């Protein structure tokens, strides 16, 4: 079966979908995106992802080409029709094509909107059980990391540092404080308390991050949202990464040094992972 993709209001075979080389998304990374997990064909936290898309569009001064109910209809249609039960749905909106290359916005904007589905590959059980290794790096990105823009070169370079070292993620520090991962949010556990960096312009407001804090509150796990120093991160009992596609994973090694006492996945992680799976199952059962 040929995958179908949504391009500017039309459903096309993936090979037929074409975007101009003059598209500002291609030439300038002038666009925003979302990645929405789909379990058993049910989009997870769809409204929250679409609210964040609106925040990103507002942040780059680009009018949303569709209303909320239109996005919901397109995405649920794709989730129903795509080849896989569990998917990761990618949506992207760019400022569209321009007649001549010019950094300033064109006077007439025709945005380019794309929606496509890929198979969702949640991390293998051994990563969850044994944990993963990470490296750290200085956060070299710009000062609007709260916007989910397609200008991801810094994130790509930072992620590659991890891959080149045989690791999974790069944990980022800016001016001595933890921000996030190259493509994930990061949590610290110390003395039984879950610590999360405060949402601000230096990190993406993660949808999975919100779910984890909600679950902590719901189950009475002590938690604190505040600035976290690099030293505190390195002295963590447990370190986690989370995202829509990775869910939540324990980081057991940072820059070649064991995190906490274990060198393996910790007890607070095991509890949170169980709550997360239970919550997902409940949400999916309640879906129409
Ligand atoms: N990225 N921080 C960054 C820089 C990210 O790129 C992501 C996710 C997250 C986690 O956000 P969420 O929980 O909403 O997925 C945090 C996606 C998955 C990606 O770029 O593929």
């Amino acid at each position: 079966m040929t995958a179908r993709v949504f391009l500017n209001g039309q459903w096309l075979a993936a090979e037929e979908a074409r975007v101009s080389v003059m598209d500002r998304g291609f030439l300038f990374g002038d666009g925003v995106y979302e990645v929405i997990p789909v379990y058993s064909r049910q989009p997870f936290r769809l409204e929250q992802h679409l609210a964040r898309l609106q925040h990103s569009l507002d942040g780059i001064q680009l009018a949303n080409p569709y209303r909320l109910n239109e996005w919901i209809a397109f995405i649920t249609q794709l989730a129903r029709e795509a080849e896989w039960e569990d998917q990761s749905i990618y949506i992207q909106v760019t400022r569209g094509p321009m007649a001549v290359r010019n950094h300033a916005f064109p006077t007439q904007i025709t945005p380019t909107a794309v929606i496509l589905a890929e198979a969702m590959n949640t991390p293998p059980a051994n990563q969850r059980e044994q944990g993963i290794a990470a490296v750290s790096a200085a956060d070299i990105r710009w000062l609007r990391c709260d916007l989910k823009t397609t200008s991801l070169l810094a994130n790509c370079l930072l992620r590659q540092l991890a891959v080149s070292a045989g690791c999974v993620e790069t944990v980022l520090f800016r001016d001595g404080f933890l921000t996030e991962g190259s493509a994930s949010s990061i949590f610290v556990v110390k003395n039984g308390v879950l610590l999360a960096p405060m949402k601000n312009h230096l990190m993406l407001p993660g949808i999975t991050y919100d779910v984890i804090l909600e679950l902590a509150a719901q189950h009475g796990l002590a938690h604190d949202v505040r600035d976290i120093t690099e030293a505190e991160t390195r002295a963590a009992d447990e370190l986690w990464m989370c995202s829509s596609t990775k869910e939540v994973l324990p980081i057991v090694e940072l820059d070649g040094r064991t995190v906490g006492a274990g060198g393996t996945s910790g007890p607070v992680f095991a509890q949170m992972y169980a709550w997360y799976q239970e919550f997902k199952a409940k949400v999916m059962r309640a879906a129409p």
Side-chain angles (χ1 to χ4, degrees), residues 33 35 52 148 155 180 182-185 204 206-208 243-244:
Y33 76 107
V35 177
R52 186 172 64 186
K148 201 163 173 63
N155 301 65
E180 58 183 342
S182 71
S184 62
S185 311
L204 186 77
I207 306 295
T208 320
S243 77
S244 293

Side-chain angles (χ1 to χ4, degrees), residues 33-37 49 52 88 90 141 145 147-149 152 155 159 169 172 179-186 203-211 242-247 276:
Y33 76 107
E34 276 298 322
V35 177
I36 303 157
H49 280 278
R52 186 172 64 186
S88 134
Y90 178 82
R141 300 171 304 161
C145 295
L147 305 177
K148 201 163 173 63
T149 75
L152 284 174
N155 301 65
R159 168 57 68 83
E169 182 56 305
L172 306 178
T179 55
E180 58 183 342
S182 71
S184 62
S185 311
I186 304 287
M203 67 173 266
L204 186 77
I207 306 295
T208 320
Y209 164 107
D210 283 344
V211 173
C242 75
S243 77
S244 293
T245 46
K246 300 264 195 240
E247 301 188 334
Y276 195 88

Side-chain angles (χ1 to χ4, degrees), residues 34-269:
E34 276 298 322
V35 177
I36 303 157
V38 173
Y39 300 107
S40 308
R41 302 194 178 278
Q42 306 289 342
F44 183 68
R45 296 251 148 166
L46 179 55
E47 298 208 2
Q48 288 86 345
H49 280 278
L50 291 172
R52 186 172 64 186
L53 176 72
Q54 186 63 56
H55 170 76
S56 300
L57 286 166
D58 292 343
I60 70 160
Q61 300 164 51
L62 179 56
N64 196 330
Y66 301 112
R67 289 190 300 273
L68 183 63
N69 62 337
E70 293 177 307
W71 280 115
I72 293 173
F74 300 146
I75 290 164
T76 45
Q77 180 178 344
L78 184 57
R80 226 178 12 246
E81 290 178 0
E83 193 177 335
W84 314 275
E85 291 287 307
D86 292 348
Q87 306 154 24
S88 134
I89 287 193
Y90 178 82
I91 68 186
Q92 174 171 324
V93 183
T94 78
R95 211 178 306 275
M98 52 197 161
V100 289
R101 185 176 172 279
N102 181 350
H103 289 60
F105 302 168
T107 40
Q108 277 295 335
I109 309 268
T110 317
T112 302
V114 172
I115 312 176
L116 52 90
E118 292 183 334
M120 163 73 120
N121 293 313
T122 43
N126 70 316
Q127 288 196 347
R128 238 165 35 229
E129 286 152 14
Q130 285 143 39
I132 55 113
V135 294
S136 71
D139 194 340
I140 54 167
R141 300 171 304 161
W142 71 333
L143 298 176
R144 290 307 308 272
C145 295
D146 57 313
L147 305 177
K148 201 163 173 63
T149 75
T150 59
S151 319
L152 284 174
L153 182 55
N155 301 65
C156 295
L157 292 170
L158 289 164
R159 168 57 68 83
Q160 194 57 34
L161 289 176
V163 172
S164 301
C167 295
V168 171
E169 182 56 305
T170 305
V171 175
L172 306 178
F173 298 110
R174 196 191 287 261
D175 300 330
F177 291 95
L178 171 67
T179 55
E180 58 183 342
S182 71
S184 62
S185 311
I186 304 287
F187 286 91
V188 165
V189 177
K190 190 67 184 178
N191 300 327
V193 181
L194 179 65
L195 302 176
M198 247 177 334
K199 282 185 193 171
N200 58 25
H201 61 293
L202 301 179
M203 67 173 266
L204 186 77
I207 306 295
T208 320
Y209 164 107
D210 283 344
V211 173
I212 286 177
L213 285 178
E214 282 171 35
L215 290 171
Q218 209 174 304
H219 292 277
L221 171 64
H223 57 282
D224 201 0
V225 178
R226 60 163 172 82
D227 288 338
I228 301 168
T229 65
E230 178 170 343
E232 283 181 297
T233 309
R234 294 193 186 280
D237 295 333
E238 296 183 28
L239 198 58
W240 309 342
M241 62 178 282
C242 75
S243 77
S244 293
T245 46
K246 300 264 195 240
E247 301 188 334
V248 51
L249 280 179
I251 299 174
V252 298
E253 195 186 294
L254 182 62
D255 296 328
R257 283 188 292 274
T258 302
V259 174
T264 186
S265 159
V268 187
F269 170 81

